[in-house]
Amino acid sequence: MELKKEIEKLKRERNAVVLAHNYQIQEVQEVADFVGDSLELARLSQKVNAKVIVFAGVYFMAETAKILNPEKTVLIPEKDARCPMADMVTAEEVRKLRKRYPDAAFVAYVNTNADVKAEVDIICTSANAVKVVESLPQKRIVFLPDKNLAHWVSLNTDKEIIPFYGYCYVHQDFDPEKIKQLKKEHPQALVLVHPEADPEVVALADQVLSTSGMLRYVEKSSAEEFIVVTEEGLLEMLRRKHPEKKILSPGMKGICRDMKKISLNSVYTSLKEMRYPVEVPEEVARRARKSIKRMLEIS
Ligand code: 13P
Ligand code: SF4
């Protein structure tokens, strides 16, 4: 309780806001001014009237907020909170692929580093990937780094999707057989799946949604049971918001170790000591900003 009060005080003193991703632990979400998915948080970062943004999420999210707000100080409470998938593709690899597919448009998932965003035509998130791809004039699309999101997009467009081989270890591990078994035990349950999951798991879904898409869907649905295939933090959030509904884990708990590195204590220290500031070299930021803004304009 004391720590929460101190955080609120520091927020006022520093003219700071805390943005938190849906996978953050409950007590971090409780001190956040906004909680959302990658797309909502990128958008919100541009709307908040504050000098300092403390980003409780993984590095690429804080970096995206910094690129969109070069005049603001953006802090990440744990500098090692990174998304392993974002590190699976490099800018050099994108440049090589450009030579191999000169007629293709290049789309990067937001889960990439700034120098990769700087090399592509546009970025997307799990909430708008199909829309982004459909907005492009090219018929061939190189989609990176997530092979599973690329596959989901390919099912929803006539364009040729050339996938990269990245993946999220948290979502890759869900077992389709366990989900089938759970569905047998709970035939009324709707299966909600994040598009980072394996195609075999996605094939079992009633709905394929971003994290905030799942929150909205459960809120509006009259169904009472859901098998929710994504990181555990989202399931915990759903259980808090809807104690009247049954939220079932898909055979195992998916935990994103990097999202969980951030604690109430590290948010407090971040505000107190103004650490860790996110910096992006201006030349990279300028080109990455183009890809991010192009996405924000169409979605
Ligand atoms: P959302 O944009 O759907 O919140 O997903 C971010 C993410 O990293 C999922 O693993
Ligand atoms: Fe990256 Fe997967 Fe963690 Fe999302 S859940 S931040 S994709 S490692």
Side-chain angles (χ1 to χ4, degrees), residues 13-296:
E13 282 170 18
R14 302 269 193 226
N15 189 5
V17 292
V18 176
L19 304 187
H21 185 261
N22 289 325
Y23 293 161
Q24 289 295 299
I25 59 169
Q26 181 178 359
E27 44 182 21
V28 169
Q29 289 193 1
E30 282 168 1
V31 295
D33 299 273
F34 302 99
V35 181
D37 67 10
S38 313
L39 180 61
E40 291 168 332
L41 294 174
R43 272 219 191 88
L44 271 165
S45 74
Q46 288 187 291
K47 294 196 179 135
V48 293
N49 193 10
K51 276 197 175 145
V52 178
I53 295 173
V54 177
F55 209 114
V58 285
Y59 194 80
F60 77 79
M61 296 179 177
E63 194 177 52
T64 302
K66 177 64 185 176
I67 293 166
L68 288 170
N69 300 278
E71 72 298 345
K72 289 184 182 147
T73 300
V74 176
L75 305 172
I76 183 152
E78 294 286 348
K79 64 176 181 318
D80 296 333
R82 297 184 69 86
C83 168
M85 171 156 60
D87 294 328
M88 286 180 186
V89 61
T90 65
E92 182 53 33
E93 282 169 311
V94 182
R95 284 192 290 271
K96 277 193 191 146
L97 285 168
R98 281 268 192 205
K99 286 192 187 133
R100 196 157 143 207
Y101 300 106
D103 62 334
F106 277 63
V107 178
Y109 192 21
V110 67
N111 300 39
T112 43
N113 294 314
D115 58 347
V116 166
K117 290 186 174 80
E119 295 293 337
V120 297
D121 299 300
I122 189 165
I123 68 149
C124 71
T125 77
S126 63
N128 61 17
V130 174
K131 199 170 176 187
V132 163
V133 163
E134 286 288 294
S135 76
L136 299 167
Q138 290 90 336
K139 287 237 171 313
R140 289 184 115 183
I141 312 289
V142 174
F143 191 102
L144 49 94
D146 188 359
K147 61 178 181 179
N148 292 335
L149 183 58
H151 184 264
W152 167 242
V153 171
S154 75
L155 298 178
N156 290 282
T157 181
D158 291 333
K159 292 177 191 270
E160 180 193 359
I161 305 294
I162 301 164
F164 200 71
Y165 49 78
Y167 64 92
C168 161
Y169 73 95
V170 181
H171 288 83
Q172 190 65 53
D173 273 1
F174 294 113
D175 178 354
E177 294 311 317
K178 292 213 172 119
I179 298 167
K180 281 183 204 160
Q181 181 57 36
L182 206 57
K183 183 78 187 162
K184 267 193 203 147
E185 291 160 20
H186 301 267
Q188 304 300 328
L190 294 181
V191 182
L192 310 185
V193 178
H194 194 278
E196 285 173 16
D198 188 88
E200 267 193 71
V201 171
V202 166
L204 303 172
D206 292 294
Q207 295 289 328
V208 178
L209 297 161
S210 78
T211 55
S212 288
M214 290 177 176
L215 289 166
R216 282 190 290 273
Y217 190 84
V218 172
E219 174 89 46
K220 285 196 187 136
S221 171
S222 57
E224 284 167 5
E225 284 182 78
F226 300 87
I227 299 166
V228 181
V229 188
T230 192
E231 208 269 347
E232 190 62 21
L234 201 274
L235 280 76
E236 285 166 12
M237 209 175 160
L238 281 169
R239 289 178 188 128
R240 288 198 299 277
K241 282 180 181 261
H242 301 286
E244 76 290 0
K245 303 201 179 194
K246 199 172 231 166
I247 308 297
L248 302 158
S249 294
M252 61 165 248
K253 284 184 181 184
I255 308 278
C256 177
R257 291 188 289 271
D258 286 81
M259 285 281 183
K260 290 340 190 214
K261 284 178 182 162
I262 296 172
S263 63
L264 201 56
N265 212 32
S266 60
V267 172
Y268 167 75
T269 314
S270 178
L271 276 161
K272 191 162 164 40
E273 295 177 12
M274 296 295 280
R275 75 183 199 195
Y276 296 93
V278 175
E279 297 298 345
V280 184
E282 185 42 36
E283 203 276 321
V284 173
R286 184 182 54 77
R287 291 187 297 133
R289 198 174 296 124
K290 259 197 199 164
S291 310
I292 302 169
K293 288 210 164 172
R294 191 170 173 195
M295 169 193 73
L296 292 174

